[in-house]
Amino acid sequence: DLNTSKLIWDTEMFRIYGLTEETFSGGADEWTSCIVPEDRALVDERFQGLMVGGVVEDLQFRIRNKTTGEICTIEANGFLERDAH
């Protein structure tokens, strides 16, 4: 949500990242803390491009699940869609 700068996740995202809906603040910092440090600059660069109207395609990065400690690879694809407001 660009108005609040909060991430909105479904149940599967919480499972993948090992976070809970009750404790997740929705802040980007909490999300990026799950990303393996070596991959954070790439993710930040690609998502900054997304915020100015770009597209994210085939972005692969690693995360560490906060519950299990397991490292897994995420593939992200997306675009930013704005309404009249």
Side-chain angles (χ1 to χ4, degrees):
D1 182 335
L2 295 177
N3 292 323
T4 64
S5 297
K6 299 272 182 178
L7 299 170
I8 302 167
W9 284 4
D10 64 10
T11 305
E12 185 65 6
M13 288 291 286
F14 288 110
R15 186 192 67 73
I16 291 168
Y17 281 84
L19 298 168
T20 66
E21 201 168 344
E22 296 77 33
T23 61
F24 183 59
S25 70
D29 289 345
E30 193 170 1
W31 167 59
T32 57
S33 75
C34 296
I35 300 171
V36 172
E38 297 83 16
D39 293 355
R40 288 182 190 158
L42 172 64
V43 172
D44 185 53
E45 176 186 316
R46 297 286 298 278
F47 274 85
Q48 290 301 318
L50 175 70
M51 299 310 288
V52 296
V55 174
V56 171
E57 294 181 311
D58 301 322
L59 170 60
Q60 293 189 4
F61 59 95
R62 295 165 293 158
I63 65 158
R64 181 179 302 275
N65 181 289
K66 291 288 189 176
T67 301
T68 66
E70 177 185 6
I71 293 178
C72 64
T73 300
I74 301 292
E75 181 176 323
N77 297 280
F79 61 93
L80 179 63
E81 183 175 330
R82 297 180 186 261
D83 63 16
H85 304 290

